[in-house]
Amino acid sequence: MVAKFNIVKNCPLRIFIWILTACPVFSEEEQILHIAQQLSEIQAYNEAITEYKRYIFFNSDSLSIDVKLTIADHYLHLRKYQDAKNTLVPILSENRNDTVGDMIRIKIAVISIAQGLLSDAELELVRVSSFSRSNQIRNEANSILFIAFVFDSRWEKAQAVLKNNPDFVNGYNLKKTDSILNICRHKSKKMPVIAQWLSTFLPGLGQLYSRDYLNAANALAISLITGYMTINSLYNGYYQEAILTDITLLWRYYNGNRVKAYNIAKTLLDNEDLAYQKKITDILKNSEENHETSFTTILDSSE
């Protein structure tokens, strides 16, 4: 069976499609759908999408929504997130089943997270978790909402969701995740501002606060040199040179030092957040309660 599958997978797609269409067992519409399904099995997603769209063009039956959902899943496999979203959004107006509608909203939220549109994802997920009649779907929405808050470094909200919905991270992993969130919650978010103010009083001190010792030494040395040049020019009566050159340089390096101190501290803070996000996503990937489709799409997009 494996050998046969590999032969089909490796043969040219046109020959493969010709063989399938030559089969007299199916009607024309069924042939198109069968070809699309076979292409999906060999992960020829672009070609499968084309065939599924052909099927939708010729049919408006109850299968159309399922086919569109399959097309959206294929776009997700190809990481064509906007195409997947554009496929899903119209289904909401066509669908009359609340449960299916909630699942579609969750998929749209997953795509928004993969695109970095965390606010859009939050709106969809809060709506589903608040109004869905299905406990399973509400739990799914909350678990993905947790991921959205983690990716947005909103640690308090992430911990609140985890506390109310602990089922998707079980046992030891739950305690480990909660411990990481506690560290993140109490981590200072004022580091960049503090670093900037420290460098306002003494150039290089903000970089030293951010543990960037090389830039701290450079900032202090440059400020001392330009300061000495300014004082020396004023002392020797070179007032024009002091005003036009030395003070300009001193002011430029002084302000640049403050901005750089802020940016270094901000980068350090962002890198710490990314490290904690990775720890949490690694825990979720290894969790037995992992919701395969949604979690895999989101977590893979973060790599």
Side-chain angles (χ1 to χ4, degrees):
M1 182 65 183
V2 174
K4 183 178 179 181
F5 178 81
N6 288 334
I7 291 171
V8 172
K9 185 174 181 179
N10 294 326
C11 74
L13 286 173
R14 290 185 179 180
I15 297 175
F16 177 50
I17 293 171
W18 179 83
I19 293 171
L20 288 173
T21 53
C23 179
V25 176
F26 303 107
S27 66
E28 184 176 353
E29 291 81 5
E30 289 173 333
Q31 282 183 13
I32 295 172
L33 189 58
H34 184 63
I35 291 169
Q37 290 167 345
Q38 293 297 314
L39 290 169
S40 296
E41 287 183 10
I42 63 172
Q43 299 180 4
Y45 295 123
N46 281 313
E47 292 77 8
I49 288 169
T50 300
E51 295 303 317
Y52 280 126
K53 286 182 176 180
R54 284 182 63 208
Y55 177 84
I56 292 171
F57 181 79
F58 291 112
N59 294 273
S60 57
D61 55 21
S62 58
L63 274 177
S64 293
I65 289 180
D66 292 334
V67 170
K68 289 176 183 178
L69 290 174
T70 302
I71 290 173
D73 285 338
H74 286 0
Y75 278 132
L76 285 176
H77 281 295
L78 296 169
R79 298 202 174 196
K80 295 181 178 180
Y81 299 127
Q82 192 57 47
D83 288 333
K85 187 180 287 187
N86 292 341
T87 303
L88 290 171
V89 170
I91 304 177
L92 290 173
S93 59
E94 300 172 15
N95 173 64
R96 295 293 179 268
N97 186 311
D98 289 341
T99 300
V100 174
D102 290 337
M103 292 173 65
I104 292 171
R105 291 186 186 281
I106 288 176
K107 278 182 176 288
I108 292 172
V110 168
I111 296 167
S112 294
I113 294 173
Q115 291 177 305
L117 304 174
L118 300 176
S119 297
D120 292 350
E122 182 182 353
L123 287 173
E124 294 289 355
L125 293 168
V126 168
R127 176 174 177 170
V128 174
S129 63
S130 300
F131 299 109
S132 178
R133 298 176 182 177
S134 167
N135 287 332
Q136 183 178 355
I137 290 177
R138 284 201 302 271
N139 289 337
E140 178 79 3
N142 281 319
S143 66
I144 299 170
L145 186 60
F146 170 77
I147 294 289
F149 287 143
V150 168
F151 280 5
D152 205 23
S153 300
R154 295 159 72 181
W155 308 113
E156 290 185 10
K157 288 199 170 186
Q159 194 166 38
V161 172
L162 183 65
K163 184 178 180 180
N164 294 326
N165 305 272
D167 294 339
F168 60 90
V169 184
N170 63 339
Y172 171 72
N173 286 333
L174 175 61
K175 293 180 180 178
K176 193 174 180 181
T177 304
D178 192 57
S179 175
I180 294 172
L181 290 172
N182 275 326
I183 294 171
C184 295
R185 279 184 57 199
H186 296 96
K187 183 164 59 78
S188 174
K189 296 181 180 179
K190 298 179 180 179
M191 282 181 61
V193 176
I194 293 172
Q196 189 173 38
W197 275 108
L198 288 172
S199 283
T200 300
F201 293 112
L202 179 63
L205 193 58
Q207 289 88 330
L208 188 64
Y209 169 74
S210 300
R211 301 190 294 277
D212 190 338
Y213 306 115
L214 180 60
N215 275 310
N218 286 340
L220 182 60
I222 290 172
S223 296
L224 288 174
I225 291 169
T226 53
Y228 171 78
M229 290 169 58
T230 302
I231 293 170
N232 186 59
S233 296
L234 291 171
Y235 179 78
N236 290 301
Y238 302 129
Y239 302 114
Q240 186 175 0
E241 180 181 335
I243 293 171
L244 295 179
T245 306
D246 298 337
I247 292 179
T248 302
L249 280 175
L250 177 62
W251 184 250
R252 177 183 174 185
Y253 284 122
Y254 176 74
N255 274 329
N257 149 74
R258 294 175 68 249
V259 172
K260 194 165 188 177
Y262 180 93
N263 290 336
I264 289 172
K266 180 71 166 58
T267 300
L268 178 65
L269 192 64
D270 290 343
N271 288 339
E272 286 181 356
D273 283 346
L274 287 172
Y276 287 124
Q277 288 168 10
K278 187 177 187 308
K279 285 182 180 180
I280 292 173
T281 53
D282 285 344
I283 291 171
L284 293 176
K285 284 180 180 179
N286 296 327
S287 175
E288 293 179 1
E289 300 297 324
N290 202 333
H291 299 265
E292 187 65 30
T293 303
S294 301
F295 272 58
T296 301
T297 302
I298 300 171
L299 300 180
D300 286 349
S301 71
S302 68
E303 294 179 348

Short mmCIF file of all heavy atoms in Angstrom, two decimals, residues 29-63:
data_model
loop_
_atom_site.label_atom_id
_atom_site.label_comp_id
_atom_site.label_asym_id
_atom_site.label_seq_id
_atom_site.Cartn_x
_atom_site.Cartn_y
_atom_site.Cartn_z
N GLU A 29 -19.46 15.51 -11.67
CA GLU A 29 -19.25 16.24 -10.43
C GLU A 29 -18.51 15.37 -9.41
O GLU A 29 -17.61 15.84 -8.70
CB GLU A 29 -20.59 16.69 -9.84
CG GLU A 29 -21.29 17.78 -10.63
CD GLU A 29 -22.05 17.22 -11.83
OE1 GLU A 29 -22.10 15.96 -11.97
OE2 GLU A 29 -22.58 18.01 -12.62
N GLU A 30 -18.89 14.09 -9.35
CA GLU A 30 -18.23 13.18 -8.41
C GLU A 30 -16.77 12.97 -8.79
O GLU A 30 -15.91 12.82 -7.92
CB GLU A 30 -18.97 11.84 -8.38
CG GLU A 30 -20.32 11.91 -7.69
CD GLU A 30 -21.09 10.61 -7.82
OE1 GLU A 30 -20.85 9.89 -8.82
OE2 GLU A 30 -21.92 10.32 -6.93
N GLN A 31 -16.49 12.95 -10.10
CA GLN A 31 -15.11 12.81 -10.55
C GLN A 31 -14.26 13.98 -10.07
O GLN A 31 -13.14 13.80 -9.58
CB GLN A 31 -15.05 12.74 -12.08
CG GLN A 31 -15.43 11.39 -12.66
CD GLN A 31 -15.29 11.37 -14.17
OE1 GLN A 31 -14.70 12.27 -14.76
NE2 GLN A 31 -15.83 10.33 -14.80
N ILE A 32 -14.80 15.20 -10.20
CA ILE A 32 -14.06 16.39 -9.76
C ILE A 32 -13.77 16.30 -8.27
O ILE A 32 -12.63 16.54 -7.82
CB ILE A 32 -14.87 17.67 -10.07
CG1 ILE A 32 -15.02 17.85 -11.58
CG2 ILE A 32 -14.19 18.90 -9.46
CD1 ILE A 32 -15.96 18.97 -11.97
N LEU A 33 -14.78 15.93 -7.49
CA LEU A 33 -14.61 15.83 -6.04
C LEU A 33 -13.62 14.72 -5.69
O LEU A 33 -12.77 14.89 -4.80
CB LEU A 33 -15.96 15.57 -5.37
CG LEU A 33 -15.99 15.64 -3.84
CD1 LEU A 33 -15.53 17.00 -3.34
CD2 LEU A 33 -17.39 15.32 -3.32
N HIS A 34 -13.70 13.61 -6.41
CA HIS A 34 -12.80 12.49 -6.16
C HIS A 34 -11.35 12.87 -6.47
O HIS A 34 -10.43 12.54 -5.72
CB HIS A 34 -13.23 11.28 -7.00
CG HIS A 34 -12.42 10.04 -6.74
ND1 HIS A 34 -12.41 9.42 -5.51
CD2 HIS A 34 -11.59 9.32 -7.55
CE1 HIS A 34 -11.61 8.36 -5.57
NE2 HIS A 34 -11.11 8.28 -6.79
N ILE A 35 -11.16 13.58 -7.59
CA ILE A 35 -9.82 14.04 -7.95
C ILE A 35 -9.26 14.95 -6.86
O ILE A 35 -8.11 14.82 -6.43
CB ILE A 35 -9.85 14.78 -9.30
CG1 ILE A 35 -10.13 13.80 -10.44
CG2 ILE A 35 -8.52 15.50 -9.55
CD1 ILE A 35 -10.43 14.49 -11.76
N ALA A 36 -10.10 15.89 -6.39
CA ALA A 36 -9.67 16.83 -5.35
C ALA A 36 -9.26 16.08 -4.08
O ALA A 36 -8.24 16.40 -3.45
CB ALA A 36 -10.79 17.82 -5.05
N GLN A 37 -10.05 15.08 -3.71
CA GLN A 37 -9.75 14.31 -2.49
C GLN A 37 -8.44 13.53 -2.64
O GLN A 37 -7.65 13.45 -1.69
CB GLN A 37 -10.91 13.37 -2.18
CG GLN A 37 -12.17 14.10 -1.72
CD GLN A 37 -13.40 13.22 -1.70
OE1 GLN A 37 -13.41 12.13 -2.28
NE2 GLN A 37 -14.45 13.68 -1.02
N GLN A 38 -8.23 12.96 -3.83
CA GLN A 38 -6.99 12.23 -4.06
C GLN A 38 -5.78 13.17 -4.03
O GLN A 38 -4.72 12.82 -3.49
CB GLN A 38 -7.06 11.50 -5.42
CG GLN A 38 -8.09 10.39 -5.48
CD GLN A 38 -7.77 9.27 -4.51
OE1 GLN A 38 -6.63 8.82 -4.41
NE2 GLN A 38 -8.77 8.81 -3.77
N LEU A 39 -5.93 14.35 -4.60
CA LEU A 39 -4.84 15.34 -4.57
C LEU A 39 -4.56 15.78 -3.14
O LEU A 39 -3.41 16.02 -2.76
CB LEU A 39 -5.20 16.54 -5.44
CG LEU A 39 -5.22 16.29 -6.95
CD1 LEU A 39 -5.86 17.46 -7.69
CD2 LEU A 39 -3.80 16.04 -7.48
N SER A 40 -5.61 15.89 -2.33
CA SER A 40 -5.42 16.25 -0.93
C SER A 40 -4.62 15.18 -0.20
O SER A 40 -3.75 15.49 0.63
CB SER A 40 -6.78 16.42 -0.23
OG SER A 40 -7.51 17.49 -0.79
N GLU A 41 -4.89 13.92 -0.52
CA GLU A 41 -4.20 12.82 0.15
C GLU A 41 -2.70 12.82 -0.14
O GLU A 41 -1.90 12.42 0.71
CB GLU A 41 -4.81 11.48 -0.28
CG GLU A 41 -6.19 11.22 0.33
CD GLU A 41 -6.74 9.87 -0.07
OE1 GLU A 41 -5.97 9.07 -0.66
OE2 GLU A 41 -7.92 9.61 0.21
N ILE A 42 -2.32 13.26 -1.33
CA ILE A 42 -0.89 13.30 -1.66
C ILE A 42 -0.29 14.69 -1.39
O ILE A 42 0.82 14.99 -1.81
CB ILE A 42 -0.63 12.90 -3.13
CG1 ILE A 42 -1.29 13.89 -4.10
CG2 ILE A 42 -1.10 11.49 -3.39
CD1 ILE A 42 -0.90 13.66 -5.55
N GLN A 43 -1.07 15.53 -0.68
CA GLN A 43 -0.64 16.85 -0.23
C GLN A 43 -0.31 17.80 -1.38
O GLN A 43 0.52 18.70 -1.24
CB GLN A 43 0.56 16.73 0.72
CG GLN A 43 0.23 15.94 1.98
CD GLN A 43 1.41 15.82 2.92
OE1 GLN A 43 2.48 16.38 2.68
NE2 GLN A 43 1.22 15.08 4.00
N ALA A 44 -0.98 17.60 -2.51
CA ALA A 44 -0.87 18.55 -3.63
C ALA A 44 -1.96 19.60 -3.42
O ALA A 44 -2.98 19.63 -4.12
CB ALA A 44 -1.04 17.83 -4.95
N TYR A 45 -1.74 20.48 -2.44
CA TYR A 45 -2.81 21.34 -1.96
C TYR A 45 -3.26 22.37 -2.99
O TYR A 45 -4.46 22.65 -3.12
CB TYR A 45 -2.38 22.04 -0.67
CG TYR A 45 -2.15 21.09 0.48
CD1 TYR A 45 -0.92 21.03 1.14
CD2 TYR A 45 -3.16 20.22 0.90
CE1 TYR A 45 -0.71 20.14 2.18
CE2 TYR A 45 -2.95 19.33 1.95
CZ TYR A 45 -1.72 19.30 2.58
OH TYR A 45 -1.52 18.42 3.61
N ASN A 46 -2.33 22.96 -3.71
CA ASN A 46 -2.72 23.97 -4.71
C ASN A 46 -3.63 23.35 -5.78
O ASN A 46 -4.65 23.94 -6.16
CB ASN A 46 -1.48 24.57 -5.37
CG ASN A 46 -0.82 25.62 -4.49
OD1 ASN A 46 -1.49 26.50 -3.95
ND2 ASN A 46 0.49 25.54 -4.34
N GLU A 47 -3.24 22.16 -6.27
CA GLU A 47 -4.04 21.50 -7.29
C GLU A 47 -5.39 21.04 -6.73
O GLU A 47 -6.42 21.11 -7.41
CB GLU A 47 -3.27 20.30 -7.86
CG GLU A 47 -2.03 20.66 -8.67
CD GLU A 47 -0.84 21.06 -7.81
OE1 GLU A 47 -0.93 20.90 -6.56
OE2 GLU A 47 0.16 21.53 -8.36
N ALA A 48 -5.38 20.59 -5.46
CA ALA A 48 -6.63 20.17 -4.83
C ALA A 48 -7.59 21.35 -4.69
O ALA A 48 -8.80 21.22 -4.93
CB ALA A 48 -6.34 19.57 -3.45
N ILE A 49 -7.06 22.50 -4.31
CA ILE A 49 -7.89 23.70 -4.18
C ILE A 49 -8.56 24.05 -5.51
O ILE A 49 -9.75 24.38 -5.56
CB ILE A 49 -7.04 24.89 -3.67
CG1 ILE A 49 -6.69 24.69 -2.19
CG2 ILE A 49 -7.78 26.22 -3.86
CD1 ILE A 49 -5.65 25.66 -1.67
N THR A 50 -7.79 23.94 -6.59
CA THR A 50 -8.35 24.22 -7.93
C THR A 50 -9.53 23.30 -8.23
O THR A 50 -10.58 23.74 -8.72
CB THR A 50 -7.26 24.06 -9.00
OG1 THR A 50 -6.19 24.97 -8.73
CG2 THR A 50 -7.83 24.35 -10.39
N GLU A 51 -9.37 22.01 -7.93
CA GLU A 51 -10.45 21.05 -8.21
C GLU A 51 -11.65 21.27 -7.29
O GLU A 51 -12.80 21.17 -7.73
CB GLU A 51 -9.92 19.62 -8.04
CG GLU A 51 -8.84 19.23 -9.05
CD GLU A 51 -9.32 19.39 -10.48
OE1 GLU A 51 -10.47 19.00 -10.78
OE2 GLU A 51 -8.54 19.92 -11.30
N TYR A 52 -11.39 21.59 -6.03
CA TYR A 52 -12.51 21.87 -5.11
C TYR A 52 -13.29 23.10 -5.58
O TYR A 52 -14.53 23.14 -5.49
CB TYR A 52 -11.99 22.10 -3.69
CG TYR A 52 -11.69 20.83 -2.93
CD1 TYR A 52 -10.43 20.62 -2.35
CD2 TYR A 52 -12.65 19.83 -2.78
CE1 TYR A 52 -10.15 19.46 -1.65
CE2 TYR A 52 -12.38 18.67 -2.07
CZ TYR A 52 -11.12 18.48 -1.51
OH TYR A 52 -10.85 17.33 -0.82
N LYS A 53 -12.60 24.11 -6.07
CA LYS A 53 -13.28 25.30 -6.57
C LYS A 53 -14.11 24.98 -7.82
O LYS A 53 -15.19 25.55 -8.02
CB LYS A 53 -12.26 26.40 -6.88
CG LYS A 53 -11.69 27.07 -5.62
CD LYS A 53 -10.73 28.19 -5.97
CE LYS A 53 -10.25 28.91 -4.72
NZ LYS A 53 -9.30 30.00 -5.03
N ARG A 54 -13.61 24.07 -8.65
CA ARG A 54 -14.39 23.62 -9.80
C ARG A 54 -15.68 22.94 -9.34
O ARG A 54 -16.76 23.16 -9.90
CB ARG A 54 -13.58 22.63 -10.65
CG ARG A 54 -12.50 23.27 -11.52
CD ARG A 54 -11.80 22.20 -12.33
NE ARG A 54 -12.73 21.53 -13.25
CZ ARG A 54 -12.60 20.28 -13.68
NH1 ARG A 54 -11.60 19.54 -13.25
NH2 ARG A 54 -13.47 19.77 -14.51
N TYR A 55 -15.55 22.14 -8.29
CA TYR A 55 -16.74 21.44 -7.77
C TYR A 55 -17.77 22.45 -7.27
O TYR A 55 -18.97 22.32 -7.55
CB TYR A 55 -16.33 20.49 -6.65
CG TYR A 55 -17.50 19.80 -6.00
CD1 TYR A 55 -18.03 18.64 -6.57
CD2 TYR A 55 -18.10 20.31 -4.86
CE1 TYR A 55 -19.13 18.00 -6.00
CE2 TYR A 55 -19.20 19.69 -4.28
CZ TYR A 55 -19.71 18.54 -4.86
OH TYR A 55 -20.80 17.92 -4.30
N ILE A 56 -17.31 23.46 -6.51
CA ILE A 56 -18.22 24.47 -5.98
C ILE A 56 -18.90 25.24 -7.12
O ILE A 56 -20.08 25.58 -7.04
CB ILE A 56 -17.46 25.44 -5.05
CG1 ILE A 56 -17.02 24.70 -3.78
CG2 ILE A 56 -18.32 26.64 -4.68
CD1 ILE A 56 -16.09 25.50 -2.89
N PHE A 57 -18.16 25.50 -8.19
CA PHE A 57 -18.71 26.25 -9.32
C PHE A 57 -19.89 25.51 -9.94
O PHE A 57 -20.88 26.13 -10.34
CB PHE A 57 -17.61 26.47 -10.38
CG PHE A 57 -18.08 27.25 -11.57
CD1 PHE A 57 -18.19 28.62 -11.52
CD2 PHE A 57 -18.42 26.59 -12.76
CE1 PHE A 57 -18.63 29.34 -12.63
CE2 PHE A 57 -18.85 27.29 -13.86
CZ PHE A 57 -18.96 28.68 -13.80
N PHE A 58 -19.80 24.18 -10.00
CA PHE A 58 -20.85 23.39 -10.64
C PHE A 58 -21.92 22.91 -9.65
O PHE A 58 -22.94 22.36 -10.06
CB PHE A 58 -20.25 22.18 -11.36
CG PHE A 58 -19.44 22.54 -12.57
CD1 PHE A 58 -18.06 22.35 -12.58
CD2 PHE A 58 -20.03 23.09 -13.69
CE1 PHE A 58 -17.30 22.69 -13.68
CE2 PHE A 58 -19.28 23.43 -14.81
CZ PHE A 58 -17.92 23.23 -14.81
N ASN A 59 -21.67 23.09 -8.34
CA ASN A 59 -22.60 22.56 -7.34
C ASN A 59 -22.83 23.59 -6.24
O ASN A 59 -21.90 24.26 -5.80
CB ASN A 59 -22.04 21.28 -6.70
CG ASN A 59 -21.94 20.15 -7.69
OD1 ASN A 59 -22.89 19.41 -7.90
ND2 ASN A 59 -20.77 20.02 -8.30
N SER A 60 -24.05 23.66 -5.77
CA SER A 60 -24.38 24.51 -4.62
C SER A 60 -25.13 23.68 -3.58
O SER A 60 -26.06 24.15 -2.94
CB SER A 60 -25.25 25.70 -5.06
OG SER A 60 -26.43 25.23 -5.69
N ASP A 61 -24.70 22.41 -3.45
CA ASP A 61 -25.40 21.51 -2.54
C ASP A 61 -24.87 21.66 -1.11
O ASP A 61 -24.05 22.52 -0.81
CB ASP A 61 -25.25 20.06 -3.01
CG ASP A 61 -23.79 19.66 -3.19
OD1 ASP A 61 -22.93 20.33 -2.59
OD2 ASP A 61 -23.52 18.69 -3.91
N SER A 62 -25.37 20.80 -0.24
CA SER A 62 -24.99 20.88 1.18
C SER A 62 -23.52 20.58 1.42
O SER A 62 -22.97 20.92 2.46
CB SER A 62 -25.85 19.91 2.00
OG SER A 62 -25.68 18.58 1.53
N LEU A 63 -22.88 19.93 0.45
CA LEU A 63 -21.45 19.61 0.59
C LEU A 63 -20.57 20.84 0.41
O LEU A 63 -19.40 20.82 0.79
CB LEU A 63 -21.04 18.55 -0.44
CG LEU A 63 -21.24 17.08 -0.07
CD1 LEU A 63 -20.85 16.20 -1.25
CD2 LEU A 63 -20.43 16.72 1.16
#
